[in-house]
Amino acid sequence: MRSLPHARLRKRTASAGRGRHCEPAWPGPHVAIATLGWQGTPERALPTATEAGGGGLRPQRSLPGTLDPGSAAVHESPAPSGPTEAASMPISKCLQKSGPLWKEWDRKAQKNGLRHQVYAVNGDHYVGEWKDNMKHGKGTQVWKKTGAIYEGDWKFGKRDGYGTLSLPDQETRKYRRVYSGWWKGDKKSGYGIQFFGPKEYYEGDWCGNQRSGWGRMYYSNGDIYEGQWCNDKPDGEGMLRLKKRNRYEGSWKRGMKNGSGRFFHLDHGQLFEGFWVDDVAKCGTMIDFGRDVAPEPTQFPIPEVKILDPDGVLEEALAMFKKIKEEGD
């Protein structure tokens, strides 16, 4: 809203008292004006100042279309005549109520279904399926620090199901398979194959990232163990086949021969049967076994041990037993 000061209005309209036409003091389109004593449009406003030579102030008079100090009038500009004026007018809209911005951002950040690469803060990235903002379904995870890659099943953010874990080879710069099998709760559980080296691997049962149950281990030196495992070591009944075809069959405890067992020295054609404690044979018997077909048989066979007169020895033992019994009575 714009209003003209009274003094400025007098000066502008001083010459209008002699019947001259008074031009408005502002350019441009008409605007709404609120003043005291205004009637009519600015072009028809007439001055009511004191007349020259009057010798004092005379009461101001109001004529049609003149300024009346005793009244107030508000005049508005005509309606906009073009699109430019209409576009410049303010438009009032009712704002819709909305919740905090973090809720909307959190809703958009929730991951469900198949997604392309999603990076973590530490540089790890994942490509695959999601559910409730967790890895769930088929997917591939890459760890930046170790370079490890896992491809397989996920369940609520953890490896669960069948999957393969690979690591980069420091020499060849290529990925080599480390484990292929079943997982549960982000740990190896169930049947799987673990590769410890080019010629050393294990195939069998797992529980909590440890070899547990039945399994077969191929060692790099050519030995093979097949049997029961517990806490990542041979434990229970098992057989160890050495590179030279010799083998041990019997009990194991904490990864060592413990208890009854038999050791077949097939290279020399002998068999030892006895009792072991922490890989050491404490007692037992040795006999020839396949000595005729052994690649490196012993120089002499084990002599046969037998009693020349077993019946006489038995009679002598019975007589001694009766004598001791009679003396006791």
Side-chain angles (χ1 to χ4, degrees):
M1 306 291 289
R2 184 176 179 182
S3 62
L4 290 177
H6 187 64
R8 185 178 178 184
L9 184 60
R10 280 192 207 166
K11 186 176 181 181
R12 294 281 184 181
T13 59
S15 61
R18 296 183 179 87
R20 295 181 185 178
H21 180 70
C22 178
E23 296 293 337
W26 57 88
H30 296 175
V31 296
I33 301 174
T35 58
L36 292 176
W38 185 268
Q39 293 182 358
T41 59
E43 291 81 356
R44 300 180 60 187
L46 297 177
T48 57
T50 57
E51 297 180 0
L57 293 176
R58 293 184 181 180
Q60 296 178 351
R61 56 185 177 181
S62 298
L63 297 175
T66 63
L67 190 67
D68 185 4
S71 62
V74 177
H75 297 271
E76 296 182 355
S77 61
S81 59
T84 304
E85 293 187 14
S88 63
M89 297 184 66
I91 299 175
S92 168
K93 291 186 177 180
C94 296
L95 298 178
Q96 297 180 355
K97 293 183 179 180
S98 60
L101 292 177
W102 68 266
K103 288 189 176 181
E104 180 66 16
W105 296 338
D106 184 68
R107 184 187 65 80
K108 292 181 178 180
Q110 295 296 318
K111 295 177 280 293
N112 281 287
L114 182 63
R115 289 291 184 98
H116 295 290
Q117 282 194 2
V118 177
Y119 283 84
V121 178
N122 57 3
D124 301 345
H125 58 275
Y126 170 82
V127 178
E129 296 176 317
W130 296 77
K131 182 178 181 181
D132 296 334
N133 211 33
M134 292 185 290
K135 302 162 192 167
H136 192 89
K138 300 288 184 181
T140 301
Q141 169 81 21
V142 180
W143 287 269
K144 181 181 179 182
K145 185 176 181 180
T146 60
I149 297 178
Y150 170 81
E151 297 177 280
D153 298 328
W154 295 80
K155 191 173 182 180
F156 299 112
K158 295 182 179 181
R159 292 170 288 187
D160 201 297
Y162 190 87
T164 300
L165 179 66
S166 303
L167 286 172
D169 195 305
Q170 300 297 332
E171 298 178 357
T172 62
R173 303 282 183 176
K174 296 181 179 180
Y175 277 91
R176 61 179 181 86
R177 187 172 55 172
V178 175
Y179 175 81
S180 183
W182 293 92
W183 301 74
K184 186 176 182 180
D186 217 33
K187 295 181 179 180
K188 305 166 194 170
S189 293
Y191 182 84
I193 302 176
Q194 172 84 35
F195 296 88
F196 299 94
K199 297 181 180 180
E200 186 169 344
Y201 64 95
Y202 167 86
E203 57 177 355
D205 297 331
W206 293 80
C207 183
N209 273 346
Q210 292 185 336
R211 291 168 284 187
S212 184
W214 181 93
R216 183 186 294 116
M217 179 70 194
Y218 295 85
Y219 297 93
S220 58
N221 60 358
D223 298 346
I224 301 174
Y225 171 82
E226 183 177 358
Q228 295 176 321
W229 292 76
C230 185
N231 296 328
D232 217 35
K233 294 180 180 180
D235 197 296
E237 295 295 321
M239 178 181 65
L240 176 65
R241 288 182 288 178
L242 303 179
K243 184 178 181 180
K244 295 183 179 181
R245 296 180 58 235
N246 297 337
R247 71 178 185 269
Y248 167 82
E249 298 176 358
S251 300
W252 294 78
K253 194 73 174 178
R254 303 183 305 277
M256 296 180 288
K257 294 184 280 290
N258 277 278
S260 301
R262 297 184 299 173
F263 197 100
F264 294 84
H265 298 271
L266 299 181
D267 55 343
H268 299 310
Q270 293 178 334
L271 169 64
F272 177 83
E273 187 172 359
F275 192 85
W276 272 262
V277 176
D278 295 342
D279 271 347
V280 179
K282 294 298 183 178
C283 61
T285 59
M286 179 77 78
I287 61 174
D288 287 330
F289 182 83
R291 185 172 181 274
D292 298 337
V293 295
E296 299 176 3
T298 57
Q299 186 177 0
F300 302 100
I302 298 175
E304 184 179 358
V305 179
K306 63 180 180 178
I307 301 175
L308 296 177
D309 187 11
D311 295 336
V313 174
L314 183 58
E315 290 178 2
E316 185 179 351
L318 287 174
M320 187 179 294
F321 177 74
K322 290 179 181 181
K323 184 179 180 180
I324 295 173
K325 186 177 182 181
E326 289 175 358
E327 289 177 357
D329 295 341

